[in-house]
mmCIF file with all atom_site columns, all heavy atoms in Angstrom:
data_model
loop_
_atom_site.group_PDB
_atom_site.id
_atom_site.type_symbol
_atom_site.label_atom_id
_atom_site.label_alt_id
_atom_site.label_comp_id
_atom_site.label_asym_id
_atom_site.label_entity_id
_atom_site.label_seq_id
_atom_site.pdbx_PDB_ins_code
_atom_site.Cartn_x
_atom_site.Cartn_y
_atom_site.Cartn_z
_atom_site.occupancy
_atom_site.B_iso_or_equiv
_atom_site.pdbx_formal_charge
_atom_site.auth_seq_id
_atom_site.auth_comp_id
_atom_site.auth_asym_id
_atom_site.auth_atom_id
_atom_site.pdbx_PDB_model_num
ATOM 1   N N   . ILE W 1 147 ? -122.340 73.362 110.772 1.00 0.00 ? 147 ILE W N   1
ATOM 2   C CA  . ILE W 1 147 ? -123.475 74.214 110.413 1.00 0.00 ? 147 ILE W CA  1
ATOM 3   C C   . ILE W 1 147 ? -123.790 74.059 108.928 1.00 0.00 ? 147 ILE W C   1
ATOM 4   O O   . ILE W 1 147 ? -124.956 73.912 108.534 1.00 0.00 ? 147 ILE W O   1
ATOM 5   C CB  . ILE W 1 147 ? -123.187 75.687 110.783 1.00 0.00 ? 147 ILE W CB  1
ATOM 6   C CG1 . ILE W 1 147 ? -123.057 75.818 112.306 1.00 0.00 ? 147 ILE W CG1 1
ATOM 7   C CG2 . ILE W 1 147 ? -124.276 76.609 110.240 1.00 0.00 ? 147 ILE W CG2 1
ATOM 8   C CD1 . ILE W 1 147 ? -122.464 77.138 112.782 1.00 0.00 ? 147 ILE W CD1 1
ATOM 9   N N   . LEU W 1 148 ? -122.764 74.050 108.096 1.00 0.00 ? 148 LEU W N   1
ATOM 10  C CA  . LEU W 1 148 ? -122.979 73.895 106.659 1.00 0.00 ? 148 LEU W CA  1
ATOM 11  C C   . LEU W 1 148 ? -123.476 72.494 106.314 1.00 0.00 ? 148 LEU W C   1
ATOM 12  O O   . LEU W 1 148 ? -124.287 72.319 105.400 1.00 0.00 ? 148 LEU W O   1
ATOM 13  C CB  . LEU W 1 148 ? -121.703 74.245 105.897 1.00 0.00 ? 148 LEU W CB  1
ATOM 14  C CG  . LEU W 1 148 ? -121.249 75.700 106.058 1.00 0.00 ? 148 LEU W CG  1
ATOM 15  C CD1 . LEU W 1 148 ? -119.901 75.918 105.383 1.00 0.00 ? 148 LEU W CD1 1
ATOM 16  C CD2 . LEU W 1 148 ? -122.296 76.670 105.514 1.00 0.00 ? 148 LEU W CD2 1
ATOM 17  N N   . GLU W 1 149 ? -123.024 71.493 107.069 1.00 0.00 ? 149 GLU W N   1
ATOM 18  C CA  . GLU W 1 149 ? -123.507 70.129 106.832 1.00 0.00 ? 149 GLU W CA  1
ATOM 19  C C   . GLU W 1 149 ? -124.964 69.955 107.271 1.00 0.00 ? 149 GLU W C   1
ATOM 20  O O   . GLU W 1 149 ? -125.690 69.141 106.692 1.00 0.00 ? 149 GLU W O   1
ATOM 21  C CB  . GLU W 1 149 ? -122.579 69.117 107.505 1.00 0.00 ? 149 GLU W CB  1
ATOM 22  C CG  . GLU W 1 149 ? -121.239 69.042 106.783 1.00 0.00 ? 149 GLU W CG  1
ATOM 23  C CD  . GLU W 1 149 ? -120.196 68.152 107.431 1.00 0.00 ? 149 GLU W CD  1
ATOM 24  O OE1 . GLU W 1 149 ? -120.314 67.841 108.637 1.00 0.00 ? 149 GLU W OE1 1
ATOM 25  O OE2 . GLU W 1 149 ? -119.261 67.776 106.719 1.00 0.00 ? 149 GLU W OE2 1
ATOM 26  N N   . VAL W 1 150 ? -125.409 70.736 108.241 1.00 0.00 ? 150 VAL W N   1
ATOM 27  C CA  . VAL W 1 150 ? -126.825 70.728 108.601 1.00 0.00 ? 150 VAL W CA  1
ATOM 28  C C   . VAL W 1 150 ? -127.647 71.259 107.421 1.00 0.00 ? 150 VAL W C   1
ATOM 29  O O   . VAL W 1 150 ? -128.721 70.729 107.111 1.00 0.00 ? 150 VAL W O   1
ATOM 30  C CB  . VAL W 1 150 ? -127.093 71.541 109.888 1.00 0.00 ? 150 VAL W CB  1
ATOM 31  C CG1 . VAL W 1 150 ? -128.596 71.721 110.132 1.00 0.00 ? 150 VAL W CG1 1
ATOM 32  C CG2 . VAL W 1 150 ? -126.436 70.874 111.090 1.00 0.00 ? 150 VAL W CG2 1
ATOM 33  N N   . ILE W 1 151 ? -127.133 72.261 106.732 1.00 0.00 ? 151 ILE W N   1
ATOM 34  C CA  . ILE W 1 151 ? -127.817 72.778 105.541 1.00 0.00 ? 151 ILE W CA  1
ATOM 35  C C   . ILE W 1 151 ? -127.920 71.675 104.484 1.00 0.00 ? 151 ILE W C   1
ATOM 36  O O   . ILE W 1 151 ? -128.968 71.498 103.858 1.00 0.00 ? 151 ILE W O   1
ATOM 37  C CB  . ILE W 1 151 ? -127.087 74.018 104.979 1.00 0.00 ? 151 ILE W CB  1
ATOM 38  C CG1 . ILE W 1 151 ? -127.169 75.169 105.976 1.00 0.00 ? 151 ILE W CG1 1
ATOM 39  C CG2 . ILE W 1 151 ? -127.673 74.429 103.621 1.00 0.00 ? 151 ILE W CG2 1
ATOM 40  C CD1 . ILE W 1 151 ? -126.280 76.358 105.641 1.00 0.00 ? 151 ILE W CD1 1
ATOM 41  N N   . LEU W 1 152 ? -126.852 70.905 104.298 1.00 0.00 ? 152 LEU W N   1
ATOM 42  C CA  . LEU W 1 152 ? -126.851 69.806 103.336 1.00 0.00 ? 152 LEU W CA  1
ATOM 43  C C   . LEU W 1 152 ? -127.929 68.775 103.687 1.00 0.00 ? 152 LEU W C   1
ATOM 44  O O   . LEU W 1 152 ? -128.714 68.367 102.826 1.00 0.00 ? 152 LEU W O   1
ATOM 45  C CB  . LEU W 1 152 ? -125.472 69.147 103.293 1.00 0.00 ? 152 LEU W CB  1
ATOM 46  C CG  . LEU W 1 152 ? -125.303 67.947 102.371 1.00 0.00 ? 152 LEU W CG  1
ATOM 47  C CD1 . LEU W 1 152 ? -125.513 68.340 100.916 1.00 0.00 ? 152 LEU W CD1 1
ATOM 48  C CD2 . LEU W 1 152 ? -123.920 67.334 102.573 1.00 0.00 ? 152 LEU W CD2 1
ATOM 49  N N   . GLY W 1 153 ? -127.989 68.374 104.948 1.00 0.00 ? 153 GLY W N   1
ATOM 50  C CA  . GLY W 1 153 ? -129.005 67.412 105.371 1.00 0.00 ? 153 GLY W CA  1
ATOM 51  C C   . GLY W 1 153 ? -130.414 67.959 105.228 1.00 0.00 ? 153 GLY W C   1
ATOM 52  O O   . GLY W 1 153 ? -131.343 67.232 104.856 1.00 0.00 ? 153 GLY W O   1
ATOM 53  N N   . THR W 1 154 ? -130.586 69.248 105.475 1.00 0.00 ? 154 THR W N   1
ATOM 54  C CA  . THR W 1 154 ? -131.881 69.892 105.330 1.00 0.00 ? 154 THR W CA  1
ATOM 55  C C   . THR W 1 154 ? -132.304 69.905 103.861 1.00 0.00 ? 154 THR W C   1
ATOM 56  O O   . THR W 1 154 ? -133.474 69.635 103.536 1.00 0.00 ? 154 THR W O   1
ATOM 57  C CB  . THR W 1 154 ? -131.843 71.311 105.918 1.00 0.00 ? 154 THR W CB  1
ATOM 58  O OG1 . THR W 1 154 ? -131.522 71.206 107.318 1.00 0.00 ? 154 THR W OG1 1
ATOM 59  C CG2 . THR W 1 154 ? -133.162 72.039 105.761 1.00 0.00 ? 154 THR W CG2 1
ATOM 60  N N   . ALA W 1 155 ? -131.368 70.168 102.971 1.00 0.00 ? 155 ALA W N   1
ATOM 61  C CA  . ALA W 1 155 ? -131.668 70.143 101.534 1.00 0.00 ? 155 ALA W CA  1
ATOM 62  C C   . ALA W 1 155 ? -132.083 68.745 101.090 1.00 0.00 ? 155 ALA W C   1
ATOM 63  O O   . ALA W 1 155 ? -133.034 68.578 100.316 1.00 0.00 ? 155 ALA W O   1
ATOM 64  C CB  . ALA W 1 155 ? -130.453 70.614 100.738 1.00 0.00 ? 155 ALA W CB  1
ATOM 65  N N   . LEU W 1 156 ? -131.401 67.741 101.595 1.00 0.00 ? 156 LEU W N   1
ATOM 66  C CA  . LEU W 1 156 ? -131.723 66.356 101.279 1.00 0.00 ? 156 LEU W CA  1
ATOM 67  C C   . LEU W 1 156 ? -133.162 66.035 101.680 1.00 0.00 ? 156 LEU W C   1
ATOM 68  O O   . LEU W 1 156 ? -133.922 65.434 100.925 1.00 0.00 ? 156 LEU W O   1
ATOM 69  C CB  . LEU W 1 156 ? -130.733 65.425 101.995 1.00 0.00 ? 156 LEU W CB  1
ATOM 70  C CG  . LEU W 1 156 ? -130.934 63.931 101.825 1.00 0.00 ? 156 LEU W CG  1
ATOM 71  C CD1 . LEU W 1 156 ? -130.733 63.517 100.379 1.00 0.00 ? 156 LEU W CD1 1
ATOM 72  C CD2 . LEU W 1 156 ? -129.950 63.184 102.737 1.00 0.00 ? 156 LEU W CD2 1
ATOM 73  N N   . LYS W 1 157 ? -133.546 66.448 102.884 1.00 0.00 ? 157 LYS W N   1
ATOM 74  C CA  . LYS W 1 157 ? -134.889 66.153 103.364 1.00 0.00 ? 157 LYS W CA  1
ATOM 75  C C   . LYS W 1 157 ? -135.945 66.963 102.629 1.00 0.00 ? 157 LYS W C   1
ATOM 76  O O   . LYS W 1 157 ? -137.080 66.507 102.491 1.00 0.00 ? 157 LYS W O   1
ATOM 77  C CB  . LYS W 1 157 ? -134.994 66.376 104.873 1.00 0.00 ? 157 LYS W CB  1
ATOM 78  C CG  . LYS W 1 157 ? -134.188 65.391 105.703 1.00 0.00 ? 157 LYS W CG  1
ATOM 79  C CD  . LYS W 1 157 ? -134.130 63.950 105.220 1.00 0.00 ? 157 LYS W CD  1
ATOM 80  C CE  . LYS W 1 157 ? -135.419 63.289 104.921 1.00 0.00 ? 157 LYS W CE  1
ATOM 81  N NZ  . LYS W 1 157 ? -135.294 61.936 104.339 1.00 0.00 ? 157 LYS W NZ  1
ATOM 82  N N   . THR W 1 158 ? -135.606 68.126 102.137 1.00 0.00 ? 158 THR W N   1
ATOM 83  C CA  . THR W 1 158 ? -136.569 68.889 101.345 1.00 0.00 ? 158 THR W CA  1
ATOM 84  C C   . THR W 1 158 ? -136.973 68.078 100.112 1.00 0.00 ? 158 THR W C   1
ATOM 85  O O   . THR W 1 158 ? -138.155 67.984 99.776  1.00 0.00 ? 158 THR W O   1
ATOM 86  C CB  . THR W 1 158 ? -135.991 70.256 100.940 1.00 0.00 ? 158 THR W CB  1
ATOM 87  O OG1 . THR W 1 158 ? -135.693 71.004 102.130 1.00 0.00 ? 158 THR W OG1 1
ATOM 88  C CG2 . THR W 1 158 ? -136.971 71.057 100.092 1.00 0.00 ? 158 THR W CG2 1
ATOM 89  N N   . LEU W 1 159 ? -135.992 67.462 99.456  1.00 0.00 ? 159 LEU W N   1
ATOM 90  C CA  . LEU W 1 159 ? -136.293 66.651 98.271  1.00 0.00 ? 159 LEU W CA  1
ATOM 91  C C   . LEU W 1 159 ? -137.247 65.508 98.598  1.00 0.00 ? 159 LEU W C   1
ATOM 92  O O   . LEU W 1 159 ? -138.256 65.311 97.914  1.00 0.00 ? 159 LEU W O   1
ATOM 93  C CB  . LEU W 1 159 ? -134.999 66.094 97.674  1.00 0.00 ? 159 LEU W CB  1
ATOM 94  C CG  . LEU W 1 159 ? -134.046 67.088 97.028  1.00 0.00 ? 159 LEU W CG  1
ATOM 95  C CD1 . LEU W 1 159 ? -132.718 66.413 96.691  1.00 0.00 ? 159 LEU W CD1 1
ATOM 96  C CD2 . LEU W 1 159 ? -134.672 67.693 95.782  1.00 0.00 ? 159 LEU W CD2 1
ATOM 97  N N   . SER W 1 160 ? -136.937 64.755 99.640  1.00 0.00 ? 160 SER W N   1
ATOM 98  C CA  . SER W 1 160 ? -137.771 63.588 99.944  1.00 0.00 ? 160 SER W CA  1
ATOM 99  C C   . SER W 1 160 ? -139.089 63.967 100.608 1.00 0.00 ? 160 SER W C   1
ATOM 100 O O   . SER W 1 160 ? -140.144 63.441 100.242 1.00 0.00 ? 160 SER W O   1
ATOM 101 C CB  . SER W 1 160 ? -137.007 62.580 100.803 1.00 0.00 ? 160 SER W CB  1
ATOM 102 O OG  . SER W 1 160 ? -136.621 63.154 102.020 1.00 0.00 ? 160 SER W OG  1
ATOM 103 N N   . ASN W 1 161 ? -139.052 64.875 101.554 1.00 0.00 ? 161 ASN W N   1
ATOM 104 C CA  . ASN W 1 161 ? -140.282 65.251 102.257 1.00 0.00 ? 161 ASN W CA  1
ATOM 105 C C   . ASN W 1 161 ? -141.310 65.851 101.299 1.00 0.00 ? 161 ASN W C   1
ATOM 106 O O   . ASN W 1 161 ? -142.486 65.470 101.322 1.00 0.00 ? 161 ASN W O   1
ATOM 107 C CB  . ASN W 1 161 ? -140.003 66.235 103.385 1.00 0.00 ? 161 ASN W CB  1
ATOM 108 C CG  . ASN W 1 161 ? -139.178 65.695 104.543 1.00 0.00 ? 161 ASN W CG  1
ATOM 109 O OD1 . ASN W 1 161 ? -138.730 66.459 105.389 1.00 0.00 ? 161 ASN W OD1 1
ATOM 110 N ND2 . ASN W 1 161 ? -138.941 64.385 104.597 1.00 0.00 ? 161 ASN W ND2 1
ATOM 111 N N   . TYR W 1 162 ? -140.872 66.756 100.458 1.00 0.00 ? 162 TYR W N   1
ATOM 112 C CA  . TYR W 1 162 ? -141.807 67.396 99.531  1.00 0.00 ? 162 TYR W CA  1
ATOM 113 C C   . TYR W 1 162 ? -142.347 66.392 98.515  1.00 0.00 ? 162 TYR W C   1
ATOM 114 O O   . TYR W 1 162 ? -143.521 66.429 98.162  1.00 0.00 ? 162 TYR W O   1
ATOM 115 C CB  . TYR W 1 162 ? -141.152 68.577 98.822  1.00 0.00 ? 162 TYR W CB  1
ATOM 116 C CG  . TYR W 1 162 ? -140.914 69.804 99.679  1.00 0.00 ? 162 TYR W CG  1
ATOM 117 C CD1 . TYR W 1 162 ? -140.968 69.772 101.075 1.00 0.00 ? 162 TYR W CD1 1
ATOM 118 C CD2 . TYR W 1 162 ? -140.606 71.016 99.082  1.00 0.00 ? 162 TYR W CD2 1
ATOM 119 C CE1 . TYR W 1 162 ? -140.727 70.894 101.838 1.00 0.00 ? 162 TYR W CE1 1
ATOM 120 C CE2 . TYR W 1 162 ? -140.366 72.153 99.843  1.00 0.00 ? 162 TYR W CE2 1
ATOM 121 C CZ  . TYR W 1 162 ? -140.435 72.091 101.213 1.00 0.00 ? 162 TYR W CZ  1
ATOM 122 O OH  . TYR W 1 162 ? -140.196 73.218 101.957 1.00 0.00 ? 162 TYR W OH  1
ATOM 123 N N   . THR W 1 163 ? -141.495 65.491 98.045  1.00 0.00 ? 163 THR W N   1
ATOM 124 C CA  . THR W 1 163 ? -141.960 64.451 97.124  1.00 0.00 ? 163 THR W CA  1
ATOM 125 C C   . THR W 1 163 ? -143.043 63.616 97.794  1.00 0.00 ? 163 THR W C   1
ATOM 126 O O   . THR W 1 163 ? -144.106 63.346 97.200  1.00 0.00 ? 163 THR W O   1
ATOM 127 C CB  . THR W 1 163 ? -140.793 63.547 96.675  1.00 0.00 ? 163 THR W CB  1
ATOM 128 O OG1 . THR W 1 163 ? -139.854 64.328 95.939  1.00 0.00 ? 163 THR W OG1 1
ATOM 129 C CG2 . THR W 1 163 ? -141.278 62.391 95.815  1.00 0.00 ? 163 THR W CG2 1
ATOM 130 N N   . ASN W 1 164 ? -142.800 63.194 99.026  1.00 0.00 ? 164 ASN W N   1
ATOM 131 C CA  . ASN W 1 164 ? -143.775 62.364 99.734  1.00 0.00 ? 164 ASN W CA  1
ATOM 132 C C   . ASN W 1 164 ? -145.083 63.106 99.984  1.00 0.00 ? 164 ASN W C   1
ATOM 133 O O   . ASN W 1 164 ? -146.159 62.508 99.900  1.00 0.00 ? 164 ASN W O   1
ATOM 134 C CB  . ASN W 1 164 ? -143.187 61.849 101.049 1.00 0.00 ? 164 ASN W CB  1
ATOM 135 C CG  . ASN W 1 164 ? -142.111 60.822 100.810 1.00 0.00 ? 164 ASN W CG  1
ATOM 136 O OD1 . ASN W 1 164 ? -142.200 60.009 99.897  1.00 0.00 ? 164 ASN W OD1 1
ATOM 137 N ND2 . ASN W 1 164 ? -141.077 60.849 101.619 1.00 0.00 ? 164 ASN W ND2 1
#
Side-chain angles (χ1 to χ4, degrees):
I147 295 167
L148 297 174
E149 289 175 341
V150 171
I151 294 170
L152 178 63
T154 299
L156 178 64
K157 292 322 309 175
T158 299
L159 291 171
S160 60
N161 294 169
Y162 288 15
T163 296
N164 290 323

